[in-house]
Amino acid sequence: MSEKKVDQITLDIIRDSFQAIGEEMFISTARASKSPVIYEVLDFACGLTDAEGELLTQGNGITGFVGLMSSMVKEVIQKFAKDGNLQDGDIIITNDPYKGGGSHLSDVGMVMPVFYKGEIVAYSVNKAHWTEVGGKNPGSWSSDADEVYQEGILFPFIKIFKAGVIDEGLVELIEENVRTPDLSIGDMMAQIAGLKTGQKRMLELCEKFGVETVRFAIDKFLSASAEVSRRNVLAMPEGVYEAEEYVDDDGLSDDPILIKVKVTIKDGRFIVDFTGTSPQVRGPINTPMAALQSGVRTVFLAATDPSQDINDGVFRPIEIIAEEGSILNCKKPASVSICWESMLMAVDVIQKAIAPIVPDKLAAANPTTVGAFNFEVFHPEWKEYNINVAPSLGGWGAGKGHDGQSGQFCAGNGETLNIPAEILESKYGFHVSEYGFNTMMDGAGAGEFRGGAGVKRHYKMRSDGSYFTGSLGRHKFKPWGLSGGQPGSNNNFRVLKADGTVDGDYGKMARYPLKEGDTIVFSTSIGGGYGNPLDRPAEKVALDAKNEFISVDEAEKYYGVVLDPETFEVKGLTPERQSH
């Protein structure tokens, strides 16, 4: 089609329509879902791709899925579409980590081809965390699995709907292999509602503007996004930037695991090379290539222009190198239950490598973990077990000109939300006895700009027979500071026993038994600081102490500000600060 036949206003309307479609798909899925991890936390994502699998839009939700929409569709194209084995009304289900599914088995993806007049014009796609997909652990994912077969049912890109007819045998198979079939099947149907929303709106676009016009608009805005992204990379200082960090362990041994990166910025290209990173390990922290792609995309957006519309054109400047069989490009049957521990550290090392050259965009380190947990909880009133699955909040690092944000989810979680205490208590039957900021950690996060506060939660059991599984990375290695800022603090779990004893600290727990009166305590990290703490204005230090983000002793020891312990007024400055 000639460019002269489509005016710019029409192109803009079609582009903005894709954004609206992604949002509507997202809302449809959330409203229809059965599990709090979806309708409260929003642990899912929805999107549309074109007929070649290029991402056109993604509704708000998990940023860790920003590389998985198109990878799932491209696997569907390879397996079905190339041989003409897709029909109108087909829906494919998958959670295969090694063939485009990308993350752990609990994240179930669904793909629906959108046919217009007998031809595929797009794919409607989503991915959501199911509360249960079977496996050895309640809630499915585990911190001590040593092969993928322990982690639940693996759906190998298989049709759950064929020409609009559901495969009842596959549904029955799922129901018989998960602990909460009502939740799992209910969430699957919610995902289907989201897919059909995308299908409906895409067909409306084709009817309104004509399929050729829509295709032309897609090519234009993908190319335009790629050019804007390339210019953003060209604006960055060219060079080679390197960094490394360690993941605490793999859950089965105490050995730290190396993640290293070399970022090359040249000629509008953003080349990320993880050569030299640890080989895949026995424990469940291995990351598949598609998930690594999501992580790289996330930090790339942050370092360039996070306000851009999300589509595959934006990411064309990126090249990723990761050795097959490494912890960041693992092979089957590597366990992947808590793959975020290595995937987020990959994000972290890129951030550490290039933060000094884009100080207005990237900050000091954050908790670098989803901090996810599974509770199998016996509800004292309902007299039945329920499974609570959720991520944890933590403190983000400070950056040039701003303090770190307090109580935020990790980079991979994006715009997910916190489950309110009232819902936790009513649905799961434990008592939320404390929920507040985790502060005053011996100078953690001190800086001219202070690292954000973590979160401390106390969940007290009201019955016997409950079990807890969780993984909090950066239990051993603190979040790093920038430009003279202090490191943050570590994450940890501990158990306050009903008999008064304390068990912990832990970074990982698997099926820890809890009795009535026991309290599980989550303490998440304070983010890294930015700049010399002695440069923080004294009045800000006084306000920090008054608001209990730091103690009066910390104000003097790290910031050089002497405060009245009763009024928090500034009484003087230490000699070190005066001579600074």
Side-chain angles (χ1 to χ4, degrees):
M1 172 176 285
S2 170
E3 187 168 344
K4 294 181 181 179
K5 294 183 180 179
V6 184
D7 61 88
Q8 187 60 47
I9 291 175
T10 299
L11 293 174
D12 289 345
I13 290 172
I14 294 173
R15 180 199 63 201
D16 292 346
S17 294
F18 283 123
Q19 297 301 312
I21 291 170
E23 291 302 316
E24 188 176 358
M25 292 174 69
F26 189 82
I27 292 168
S28 296
T29 304
R31 287 181 172 176
S33 66
K34 300 296 184 182
S35 300
V37 71
I38 296 179
Y39 66 73
E40 288 288 348
V41 175
L42 307 180
D43 191 347
F44 71 102
C46 303
L48 278 178
T49 78
D50 67 7
E52 285 70 49
E54 293 291 298
L55 184 68
L56 305 178
T57 182
Q58 180 170 320
N60 284 341
I62 293 290
T63 53
F65 293 165
V66 77
L68 305 185
M69 302 290 107
S70 50
S71 67
M72 287 191 294
V73 172
K74 287 176 180 178
E75 183 65 26
V76 167
I77 292 171
Q78 183 68 32
K79 184 172 182 178
F80 297 103
K82 282 191 173 182
D83 296 327
N85 291 329
L86 285 179
Q87 303 177 69
D88 196 2
D90 285 354
I91 297 178
I92 292 89
I93 185 170
T94 184
N95 59 356
D96 189 332
Y98 317 100
K99 294 183 179 178
S103 52
H104 61 178
L105 300 191
S106 298
D107 294 331
V108 179
M110 306 195 79
V111 179
M112 182 181 193
V114 178
F115 283 81
Y116 181 74
K117 296 183 178 179
E119 186 177 3
I120 295 175
V121 293
Y123 290 87
S124 187
V125 57
N126 57 33
K127 195 170 183 67
H129 185 114
W130 287 14
T131 297
E132 253 289 317
V133 291
K136 71 169 187 169
N137 214 59
S140 300
W141 67 263
S142 170
S143 60
D144 66 349
D146 61 12
E147 59 178 3
V148 73
Y149 307 111
Q150 299 170 7
E151 299 173 341
I153 305 170
L154 193 153
F155 303 115
F157 287 88
I158 188 170
K159 292 183 181 181
I160 187 76
F161 275 76
K162 300 175 182 178
V165 178
I166 195 167
D167 186 333
E168 296 288 358
L170 182 52
V171 172
E172 185 176 357
L173 178 68
I174 296 170
E175 289 175 331
E176 292 299 323
N177 283 277
V178 301
R179 296 170 178 85
T180 57
D182 290 345
L183 295 181
S184 298
I185 299 303
D187 291 338
M188 182 184 78
M189 300 309 292
Q191 288 181 257
I192 291 168
L195 295 179
K196 291 188 173 182
T197 298
Q199 177 196 42
K200 178 182 178 181
R201 298 307 185 208
M202 184 65 187
L203 294 178
E204 289 173 352
L205 269 185
C206 291
E207 281 292 323
K208 182 175 182 178
F209 295 103
V211 67
E212 290 304 318
T213 298
V214 172
R215 284 173 172 156
F216 180 79
I218 288 171
D219 289 342
K220 288 289 290 182
F221 87 73
L222 286 175
S223 297
S225 293
E227 179 56 27
V228 169
S229 200
R230 190 181 76 87
R231 290 201 299 266
N232 286 332
V233 177
L234 285 169
M236 301 173 75
E238 289 195 345
V240 178
Y241 308 98
E242 300 185 55
E244 61 182 47
E245 281 285 307
Y246 286 89
V247 181
D248 291 338
D249 52 62
D250 70 350
L252 297 176
S253 78
D254 292 328
D255 299 331
I257 296 143
L258 177 66
I259 308 284
K260 63 185 302 182
V261 74
K262 179 171 69 176
V263 181
T264 302
I265 300 172
K266 187 176 182 180
D267 299 331
R269 302 290 297 162
F270 190 87
I271 304 167
V272 184
D273 186 351
F274 292 100
T275 299
T277 289
S278 167
Q280 68 186 53
V281 292
R282 183 165 156 257
I285 68 166
N286 301 290
T287 290
M289 185 63 177
L292 175 64
Q293 176 176 272
S294 288
V296 173
R297 287 181 169 194
T298 300
V299 69
F300 174 80
L301 280 172
T304 53
D305 181 6
S307 68
Q308 296 175 85
D309 294 337
I310 301 302
N311 60 65
D312 270 357
V314 172
F315 305 116
R316 287 180 185 172
I318 299 174
E319 179 183 346
I320 302 172
I321 301 168
E323 297 162 297
E324 187 177 17
S326 73
I327 199 169
L328 297 179
N329 185 9
C330 64
K331 298 187 297 183
K332 192 176 182 179
S335 52
V336 295
S337 273
I338 52 176
C339 58
W340 63 78
E341 299 294 5
S342 57
M343 186 268 276
L344 288 173
M345 194 57 77
V347 173
D348 181 87
V349 293
I350 299 171
Q351 181 176 334
K352 186 177 183 180
I354 66 173
I357 67 166
V358 283
D360 294 329
K361 299 289 182 65
L362 297 180
N366 57 65
T368 323
T369 182
V370 172
F373 57 89
N374 287 328
F375 259 125
E376 185 185 27
V377 186
F378 187 77
H379 199 296
E381 281 77 45
W382 299 354
K383 306 300 180 185
E384 65 181 23
Y385 281 96
N386 208 339
I387 298 173
N388 173 214
V389 183
S392 295
L393 302 156
W396 274 57
K400 183 180 179 180
H402 64 87
D403 290 342
Q405 293 187 338
S406 299
Q408 297 295 312
F409 288 114
C410 71
N413 276 88
E415 297 193 23
T416 49
L417 301 175
N418 185 44
I419 300 179
E422 295 83 357
I423 291 177
L424 291 172
E425 292 187 332
S426 63
K427 191 170 184 66
Y428 301 111
F430 53 75
H431 179 51
V432 183
S433 55
E434 182 177 328
Y435 208 144
F437 285 134
N438 186 32
T439 63
M440 295 189 287
M441 297 286 290
D442 194 25
E448 179 183 3
F449 300 98
R450 177 177 48 77
V455 168
K456 183 171 287 187
R457 290 169 292 170
H458 290 221
Y459 292 171
K460 186 173 183 178
M461 300 300 105
R462 295 174 52 224
S463 60
D464 292 338
S466 296
Y467 295 87
F468 175 83
T469 294
S471 179
L472 278 174
R474 284 210 179 276
H475 173 62
K476 300 175 182 176
F477 300 97
K478 295 178 180 179
W480 41 269
L482 270 175
S483 297
Q486 293 293 306
S489 62
N490 297 119
N491 298 298
N492 64 75
F493 304 112
R494 68 183 64 173
V495 180
L496 309 182
K497 300 280 193 177
D499 62 10
T501 60
V502 179
D503 188 16
D505 297 341
Y506 295 104
K508 295 179 179 67
M509 288 180 170
R511 297 173 306 283
Y512 191 102
L514 297 168
K515 297 181 179 180
E516 182 178 359
D518 290 349
T519 298
I520 184 82
V521 178
F522 308 72
S523 297
T524 61
S525 67
I526 297 168
Y530 184 97
N532 191 324
L534 297 177
D535 290 327
R536 188 168 180 83
E539 60 272 17
K540 283 191 175 183
V541 175
L543 189 60
D544 291 339
K546 185 175 183 179
N547 289 329
E548 299 184 355
F549 286 108
I550 65 173
S551 67
V552 170
D553 288 342
E554 286 179 299
E556 182 173 350
K557 181 177 179 180
Y558 293 99
Y559 293 92
V561 179
V562 182
L563 301 175
D564 184 297
E566 300 295 330
T567 66
F568 301 104
E569 292 181 355
V570 177
K571 295 172 60 178
L573 304 177
T574 64
E576 183 183 9
R577 182 172 177 119
Q578 290 177 9
S579 63
H580 173 65

